[in-house]
Amino acid sequence: MSEATSRPLRIAVIGTNYLGANTAAGMAEFGFDVIGVEIDEHRLKLLNDGKAPLYEPGLDPLLKKHTDSGRLRFTKDYREIADWADVHFICVGTPQLEGSEAADLSQVHSVVDMLAPLLTRPALVVGRSTVPVGTSTIVEQRFHAEAPAGTAVEIAWQPEFLREAHGVEDTLHPDRLVFGVQSEAAETRLREVFATPIAEGSPVVICNLPTAELVKAGANAFLATKISFINALAEMADATGADVTQLADALGYDKRIGRGALNAGPGYGGGCLPKDLRAFMHRAGELGVEEVITLLREVDDINQHRRAGIVDLTHEMLGGEWVGKNVTVLGAAFKAGTDDVRDSPALDVAGRIQLHGANVTVYDPEAMENARRVRPTLRYAPTAVEACREAHAVLHLTEWPEFRALDPAALRDVVSTPVVIDARLNLNAETWRTAGWTYRAPGKP
């Protein structure tokens, strides 16, 4: 990997949806020339116009800045990056395999199919995609066998820890950098790539390939465990009259625990955490580590039970009747700041209530189009106020600032029955109650 010492590094980013688009824009911001590889024609055109293929705060301006400067461009032709780039980042998706809990690695292997035969000189191939432990070894074996450069192609793994709605910030200012490497040369190269955040103080962890793969899986599993843990405590709070928010605040002061992710609510969702947790369980099963499966199966079950609990609470607040009742769901994205509706608790709850026979109307500031594709039989309204019209219950299921800013006094005149279920524990309970609403929140007295 010595050919690039006389000139600045050139970076290729393969796969440019959420992870890849943030990575490509971030590498350009760090000062490198970047080519992103995207095979989808529609997405390719958007990216070359400086537009992200999804909603992510701050990403469009960053893409536009560097596509206009000429530092960043996108192509569908692997031949443009094969001899050009010194570092190739693999950022393709690894969704859940249909009919299984395992990760679908077809996109990762497709990258090897397309890139390996074209690599004729030394290069560093860096995986950022979330994969089951052991995948990097298989990828390395394939590159060494199929690339003309053979073992001069080195594999590293550098897991990402991007939070949707904070992807740009997390790319430019990561809270840690994990380099799974097999040589000092690979470590040096990655330190050069990430010189800017390292200079800002981002800590660096150097480890081997399987450790890097497990770091991401372990981080997601622990996060899911914290979320399910506080939601289990919310049920204890409901049974005893305790306040789960105050409980979480008190627990959060313990430095061994921390306050992050101890927010009770409808549970976790999105395109990463649920499928990554299940892929981790699947890999643990392949390795015979039954204790991991037992623990994480319970974590996943608690998460699903939380959604059912919100449906049950809605049924209670509707007087035990579904048919003829109008239910408003505020939120469709799995969390605020994104248009991602994959495994969204909000849409799952909306769908379950509709199946019981109620009329369900949904509003979300950013995710309406995606929601309609996933749940076309639900009703959709152009504004939050319109969604609430004639409602017998309003469910707050995604914590958008717009919903917290609603005027409950004015909204009182729009609904049929002033009942609000604050599943995100994000509204001001006293304000809503003072305005004449029956306010309920899981885990709150």
Side-chain angles (χ1 to χ4, degrees), residues 10-28 32-39 44 47 63 72-78 81 84-92 111 115 124 126 128-129 171 193-194:
R10 296 169 176 168
I11 295 177
V13 177
I14 305 168
T16 55
N17 200 17
Y18 180 77
L19 170 59
N22 276 286
T23 300
M27 291 299 152
F32 301 106
D33 287 335
V34 182
I35 297 178
V37 179
E38 177 53 62
I39 60 174
L44 180 63
L47 289 162
L63 285 168
L72 173 62
R73 66 184 181 88
F74 297 88
T75 182
K76 64 178 181 180
D77 191 347
Y78 278 79
I81 65 166
W84 179 84
D86 307 299
V87 181
H88 301 266
F89 281 101
I90 299 176
C91 295
V92 294
V111 171
L115 182 60
L124 180 64
V126 184
R128 296 206 85 198
S129 300
T171 298
V193 171
F194 292 96

Side-chain angles (χ1 to χ4, degrees), residues 12 40 47 72 93 113 123-124 151 167 198 251 293 323 355 367 387 396 428 436 441:
D40 182 271
L47 289 162
L72 173 62
D113 292 340
L124 180 64
T151 55
I198 290 174
L251 290 173
I293 301 173
V323 177
L355 285 176
H396 176 225
N428 188 310

Side-chain angles (χ1 to χ4, degrees), residues 231-245 247 442-445:
N231 279 332
L233 286 184
E235 297 196 12
M236 290 287 289
D238 278 334
T240 60
D243 187 315
V244 73
T245 301
L247 175 61
K444 299 281 284 185

Side-chain angles (χ1 to χ4, degrees), residues 29-306:
E29 183 71 4
F30 291 157
F32 301 106
D33 287 335
V34 182
I35 297 178
V37 179
E38 177 53 62
I39 60 174
D40 182 271
E41 292 280 2
H42 175 68
R43 193 177 295 162
L44 180 63
K45 184 180 186 307
L46 283 175
L47 289 162
N48 275 319
D49 288 339
K51 299 176 182 177
L54 43 80
Y55 176 73
E56 177 66 25
L59 184 53
D60 276 1
L62 196 62
L63 285 168
K64 185 66 173 171
K65 173 183 176 181
H66 293 298
T67 53
D68 284 353
S69 72
R71 184 174 288 167
L72 173 62
R73 66 184 181 88
F74 297 88
T75 182
K76 64 178 181 180
D77 191 347
Y78 278 79
R79 290 171 297 183
E80 292 189 40
I81 65 166
D83 288 330
W84 179 84
D86 307 299
V87 181
H88 301 266
F89 281 101
I90 299 176
C91 295
V92 294
T94 53
Q96 190 169 335
L97 191 65
E98 188 173 353
S100 169
E101 290 185 334
D104 182 352
L105 299 177
S106 60
Q107 294 182 55
V108 174
H109 286 293
S110 178
V111 171
V112 182
D113 292 340
M114 300 297 292
L115 182 60
L118 301 174
L119 292 180
T120 60
R121 67 174 181 87
L124 180 64
V125 176
V126 184
R128 296 206 85 198
S129 300
T130 301
V131 295
V133 60
T135 302
S136 58
T137 300
I138 298 170
V139 169
E140 179 182 60
Q141 291 169 348
R142 288 199 57 196
F143 270 106
H144 288 176
E146 299 172 30
T151 55
V153 178
E154 187 168 356
I155 304 301
W157 223 263
Q158 195 265 314
E160 53 84 15
F161 304 102
L162 307 189
R163 300 164 297 160
E164 289 193 49
H166 303 277
V168 172
E169 176 72 14
D170 291 344
T171 298
L172 300 180
H173 310 287
D175 59 8
R176 79 277 209 196
L177 292 162
V178 176
F179 298 161
V181 295
Q182 302 178 92
S183 71
E184 289 186 10
E187 178 187 342
T188 299
R189 181 57 51 83
L190 283 173
R191 286 185 179 275
E192 184 177 354
V193 171
F194 292 96
T196 299
I198 290 174
E200 292 179 349
S202 293
V204 179
V205 177
I206 305 299
C207 58
N208 61 17
L209 296 178
T211 303
E213 292 168 314
L214 275 174
V215 166
K216 180 58 185 290
N220 279 352
F222 191 77
L223 175 60
T225 301
K226 286 191 76 173
I227 295 170
S228 287
F229 175 79
I230 197 62
N231 279 332
L233 286 184
E235 297 196 12
M236 290 287 289
D238 278 334
T240 60
D243 187 315
V244 73
T245 301
Q246 295 171 348
L247 175 61
D249 288 341
L251 290 173
Y253 283 114
D254 190 324
K255 295 179 181 178
R256 298 166 300 174
I257 298 173
R259 185 60 173 85
L262 281 181
N263 294 317
Y268 56 81
C272 294
L273 201 57
K275 64 94 175 174
D276 289 348
L277 185 75
R278 290 160 196 158
F280 193 17
M281 286 191 285
H282 182 85
R283 185 62 174 140
E286 292 177 335
L287 296 171
V289 187
E290 294 297 326
E291 292 83 357
V292 171
I293 301 173
T294 301
L295 171 64
L296 297 185
R297 180 72 67 197
E298 188 64 27
V299 167
D300 205 29
D301 287 347
I302 290 172
N303 193 58
Q304 294 302 316
H305 178 69
R306 191 60 173 170

